Amino acid sequence: MSAVPDLDWQPSAALDTLRKRAEGLALLRQFFSQRQVMEVDTQLLSHSAGCDPFIDCFDVLYRAFPGAEPEFLYLQTSPEYAMKRLLSAGSGPIYQLGKVFRNGELGQRHNPEFTMLEWYRPGWSMAELMQEVRAVVQLFLPQQTFVECEYRSLFRQHLGWDPCTTSLAEIKVFARQHLDLSFDDEDRDTWLNLLMSHLIEPQLQGGVFVTHFPASQAALAKRVHDVDGEPMAARFELYLDGLELANGYQELTDAQEQAARFQADQAQRAALNLPVRPLDQRLLAALAAGQPESAGVALGVDRLFMRAWGKETLAEVLPFAFSRA
Amino acid sequence: MANYSSNQLKNGLKVMLDGDPCNMLDVEFVKPGKGQAFTRVKLRNLLTGRVWERTFKSNETIESADVMDTDMEYLYNDGEMWHFMDPNSFEQVAAEKNAVGDAAKWLKEQDKITVTLWNGNPIAVTPPNFVELEVVETDPGVKGDTAQGGSKPATLTTGAVVRVPLFIEIGEKLRIDTRTGEYVSRA
């Protein structure tokens, strides 16, 4: 008999938590089924990759036969592109509940592989979708209350200045006064993200929908103008007691604008020496063929469970967290 | 000296920051959904003891510090320096008051002590969690009073003063928890 190595073979979540997790996943499916939203399970493995500069995917190797010259494929960081192709194909409202993969994202509230709930509502406004996001959260936290706050107001309220009009130099000075930093960066959004995550998020109590993001943080959201005529992104994020839980858009449907944003992301990747991977040309073709106006959102299910069950780390709600996977 | 990149940071890592050796007490990965990743670290400056937080960006590199915890035997104090010996190599080091700090009052000759060396020089001294020291001065013991809660100060051989039960007499050996500075029992 050989010695059994002393390994962490046991689950990182307690078994009663895993039972609640199973019920939670079933509850989510029931919720969308009752609302006539179709479940889809699009490919995890794709020939193209998301091009968000700061979301890194896993590159995996495909071989036509064992020993054949391998070809790179990419694990999805979100099912967004595939689901939008379904919208263009006339799917109607759809949701997906499954795993996504993000390279290098590991911490108490990050696991490189996690469960995402993503859904799209053709014909809906962002405001209508935010109501539905509330209902999803309240499946698990029935007493949860929510407020809405514009990104600009949040900075004015907590930091005392306007993120749209304050110069990058002034923002840097402010950041260095409040945080000990040894780096520099010329990307304005990096500084705004830094201040948001370090100084504002810890102050957010309860459910907070942050809306009207800076236009530079639009990603795949439509751009609009706020009351002062500032260009803003039709994007929202939901925070639950300071934890980033969901990210939603009034979806961009303009193929040319989408192509331009893809190119800008690829250029930024190249400038930062980040991997530049193949773009999803099929998404651009689907947009060009016509996509219904939609609102869509992605929600981190493990984080929702974490908050709902009073856990401090993702590991406590995952069968096997990364270190034991 | 080796360099760490900010994704290799973890609790207990010893690094050089602003010229001083520091210990990482807590490492938190911060990643806004669409933004760059940061690593927020709670640090202790091993020379000054100051604890503070610094945030690193994902592509920063941080120099490692040649800091080692070594088990040594405490030899003696010459009035200015505290002398320790590595029981394996018999090599001796001398630590200044700054490095010894509050540990001085728990140091008994021949006890096993943890000495933190930076580039071979002692920068911190950690006594064992429990030490046994003799009482050299205290008020006379109160006979029979073993149950009641009262206490009195007692001075130990090293000069440390601790609160002890009323029944303790001069010459007794006591077991002390050095982390709290509290009396545990008779030794």
Side-chain angles (χ1 to χ4, degrees):
Chain A
M1 217 182 97
S2 62
V4 178
D6 181 22
L7 294 174
D8 288 337
W9 65 270
Q10 289 183 313
S12 38
L15 281 180
D16 70 318
T17 304
L18 293 180
R19 279 182 209 106
K20 279 198 281 187
R21 184 179 174 98
E23 289 162 12
L25 295 173
L27 196 58
L28 288 168
R29 290 199 158 90
Q30 186 189 30
F31 176 89
F32 286 105
S33 165
Q34 282 170 351
R35 292 175 175 229
Q36 274 87 48
V37 181
M38 175 170 72
E39 176 164 11
V40 295
D41 54 344
T42 60
Q43 72 281 6
L44 303 186
L45 204 54
S46 171
H47 297 278
S48 58
C51 58
D52 261 307
F54 301 117
I55 298 181
D56 194 28
C57 71
F58 284 85
D59 315 76
V60 298
L61 295 176
Y62 174 79
R63 290 181 188 83
F65 55 90
E69 191 67 23
E71 171 195 343
F72 272 118
L73 295 182
Y74 309 96
L75 289 177
Q76 67 172 4
T77 55
S78 121
E80 183 164 12
Y81 299 171
M83 291 182 79
K84 286 182 166 178
R85 283 162 60 191
L86 289 174
L87 293 175
S88 283
S91 65
I94 47 176
Y95 80 94
Q96 180 145 206
L97 179 57
K99 297 286 191 191
V100 298
F101 303 85
R102 296 187 178 187
N103 221 333
E105 300 197 4
L106 181 60
Q108 300 217 316
R109 290 157 177 202
H110 291 83
N111 199 63
E113 160 185 349
F114 63 97
T115 298
M116 181 96 105
L117 170 65
E118 184 152 335
W119 74 100
Y120 291 87
R121 285 292 201 169
W124 279 30
S125 68
M126 223 171 66
E128 289 172 294
L129 184 62
M130 287 196 288
Q131 284 303 323
E132 192 160 58
V133 172
R134 290 178 188 222
V136 167
V137 172
Q138 284 169 340
L139 289 174
F140 302 94
L141 291 160
Q143 309 301 321
Q144 186 65 55
T145 56
F146 298 87
V147 294
E148 284 180 31
C149 188
E150 293 187 9
Y151 190 91
R152 285 181 88 174
S153 325
L154 215 51
F155 273 71
R156 286 198 194 113
Q157 182 190 333
H158 291 283
L159 308 184
W161 43 270
D162 185 337
C164 293
T165 57
T166 307
S167 74
L168 177 57
E170 289 171 293
I171 294 174
K172 287 186 190 182
V173 169
F174 181 90
R176 293 188 197 286
Q177 278 169 355
H178 290 81
L179 299 168
D180 182 27
L181 310 166
S182 43
F183 61 83
D184 196 10
D185 200 294
E186 292 315 310
D187 178 29
R188 185 183 177 88
D189 287 323
T190 289
W191 292 94
L192 295 180
N193 280 329
L194 175 75
L195 295 169
M196 181 80 176
S197 57
H198 283 64
L199 299 180
I200 299 180
E201 282 177 22
Q203 317 272 352
L204 300 181
Q205 310 256 308
V208 181
F209 282 99
V210 181
T211 64
H212 295 78
F213 277 70
S216 55
Q217 296 180 26
L220 269 63
K222 272 189 197 299
R223 290 201 174 116
V224 292
H225 290 90
D226 73 1
V227 286
D228 298 338
E230 288 287 340
M232 306 301 289
R235 169 182 170 194
F236 70 87
E237 287 233 354
L238 171 61
Y239 290 88
L240 218 47
D241 290 328
L243 180 65
E244 192 184 359
L245 191 68
N247 177 45
Y249 304 139
Q250 196 71 54
E251 301 292 345
L252 179 66
T253 51
D254 179 334
Q256 282 190 343
E257 168 70 13
Q258 182 65 68
R261 290 194 199 174
F262 271 174
Q263 293 308 333
D265 278 348
Q266 296 287 67
Q268 193 182 357
R269 280 179 165 269
L272 295 170
N273 273 326
L274 297 170
V276 179
R277 303 185 175 98
L279 287 174
D280 191 355
Q281 301 294 344
R282 293 185 178 93
L283 172 64
L284 294 177
L287 288 170
Q291 185 169 105
E293 294 296 327
S294 307
V297 61
L299 181 150
V301 173
D302 311 298
R303 285 187 175 183
L304 174 59
F305 289 167
M306 205 180 104
R307 273 287 180 264
W309 304 328
K311 306 294 186 192
E312 287 303 312
T313 64
L314 278 191
E316 292 169 86
V317 302
L318 295 172
F320 296 100
F322 189 68
S323 65
R324 299 182 181 196
Chain B
M1 210 71 274
N3 281 324
Y4 299 112
S5 67
S6 43
N7 59 5
Q8 294 173 303
L9 305 184
K10 57 178 186 204
N11 294 1
L13 205 67
K14 311 287 194 298
V15 296
M16 293 299 298
L17 288 175
D18 309 327
D20 283 358
C22 300
N23 184 21
M24 298 203 162
L25 303 178
D26 191 39
V27 177
E28 188 192 0
F29 178 76
V30 180
K31 168 80 172 68
K34 298 287 179 190
Q36 277 204 61
F38 303 105
T39 308
R40 188 176 195 175
V41 185
K42 187 190 264 189
L43 294 143
R44 172 178 284 126
N45 181 315
L46 291 172
L47 298 185
T48 65
R50 182 171 86 102
V51 172
W52 86 109
E53 281 190 349
R54 178 173 285 191
T55 295
F56 300 93
K57 213 172 62 167
S58 57
N59 57 358
E60 282 188 85
T61 56
I62 299 129
E63 191 189 337
S64 69
D66 178 16
V67 173
M68 263 179 20
D69 286 337
T70 314
D71 287 333
M72 292 197 153
E73 190 182 308
Y74 171 56
L75 299 177
Y76 63 95
N77 167 240
D78 65 13
E80 189 187 352
M81 306 287 274
W82 283 256
H83 296 263
F84 301 88
M85 181 182 71
D86 184 328
N88 299 313
S89 66
F90 303 108
E91 215 170 290
Q92 292 189 18
V93 296
E96 293 177 348
K97 193 171 175 37
N98 274 346
V100 177
D102 280 350
K105 65 181 177 193
W106 307 121
L107 295 183
K108 195 177 75 181
E109 288 164 15
Q110 275 134 49
D111 269 3
K112 280 265 168 56
I113 311 288
T114 303
V115 179
T116 304
L117 300 174
W118 172 44
N119 296 333
N121 300 313
I123 54 169
V125 168
T126 314
N129 291 344
F130 297 99
V131 291
E132 289 177 7
L133 296 169
E134 197 180 309
V135 178
V136 292
E137 197 185 315
T138 190
D139 292 340
V142 181
K143 285 274 184 266
D145 180 9
T146 53
Q148 299 207 6
S151 71
K152 59 178 181 178
T155 306
L156 309 176
T157 38
T158 56
V161 178
V162 294
R163 303 290 307 178
V164 300
L166 299 177
F167 56 80
I168 295 296
E169 305 273 12
I170 291 175
E172 283 193 279
K173 259 193 168 178
L174 307 183
R175 187 171 165 81
I176 310 293
D177 187 331
T178 61
R179 295 162 297 185
T180 58
E182 281 169 12
Y183 163 89
V184 179
S185 64
R186 283 169 164 155

